[in-house]
Amino acid sequence: MTLGKTATLAFLVILAVLLFSAMGALPETTDRMEAGGPTWHILRSAVPDTGAVNLVTAVLFDYRAFDTLGEATVIFTAVAGVVLVFAREAMVLSGKGLSPLAKKSMDILTPFIALLGFYVILFGHISPGGGFQGGVILASWAILVVLIYGIRTEEDVLTGFVKMFLESAGALLFVALGAVALIGGREFLSNLAAGFSPGDVGSVISAGSIPLLNVAIGLKVASGLAMMFVTMSKKDGDS
Amino acid sequence: MIETTVVYILLALLVISGTAAVFFRRVINSVISLSVFSVTLAAVFLVYRAPDVAMAEAVVGAGLMTALFLVTISRTQGGDH
């Protein structure tokens, strides 16, 4: 065994020992549930505070909505970077798409994939899911359309300009919903405190601004990631 | 009881698919193996009652990342597909 391999092995063993000893130092689940802790507080007061039954969404889009805005900005920057690097006059990679069999299967699947995506976005505050997950489902739908029908069909249905518009509209809708709270003198992105109605807890139209924020994030993520994939799957004209 | 068994099977599959992703010679095989890894990880999250995380892991890890990896590979290997 060469010196390099021995050194690598020793490094890996030390890393494994450190990681396993760190696992033992993790706090027990029950510790974090103690009275007065954050878990305890959220379990007790998230539903009256936000009106959302899905507590994960309640944290993401109410208590920590500002962090979600930051994550959305990260995706926006990533998409902008990819488009900047790849977008040139380009020729299509797979203009015609796959066989008629695959196209026919996609014809049948299309409404169900779209339905699942919109369901996950719109029911984010009631059931598992939310704007991000639903947005990625819709983006995968666009990716499937590109792969199966060919990139030209995808661009006929939804041009790059429309996707760009949808992404920017999602980001602006999120910020605008946050700014509504400023009018009443509340904190940026505050929800029920800013006068959004809690509605009938557990129904689709409830939880104040959370479903709207979900729609904004869903639009943004779906169009952004779809744009990223379409841009990357084009081939340079000169190669 | 049965839950524990399921978790052990899934964790074993995680180790196998993760290791396989490193050791496969062809990049395509590694990408597929990573996709299996993501689906398994999503199942583990589901067993531990974190459906939100499971959904994100499934759609991002198995769906989007695989597609982006494949596009990148097909672009960098110059028509070798």
Side-chain angles (χ1 to χ4, degrees), chain B residues 23-71:
Chain B
F23 283 104
F24 269 130
R25 277 211 181 274
R26 295 187 58 196
V27 192
I28 298 277
N29 296 0
S30 290
V31 171
I32 303 294
S33 187
L34 267 187
S35 164
V36 173
F37 180 89
S38 285
V39 174
T40 320
L41 193 58
V44 173
F45 285 144
L46 201 59
V47 175
Y48 284 133
R49 297 191 181 80
D52 289 82
V53 189
M55 198 177 272
E57 179 64 38
V59 291
V60 175
L64 194 72
M65 287 308 292
T66 311
L68 287 181
F69 269 136
L70 289 179
V71 169

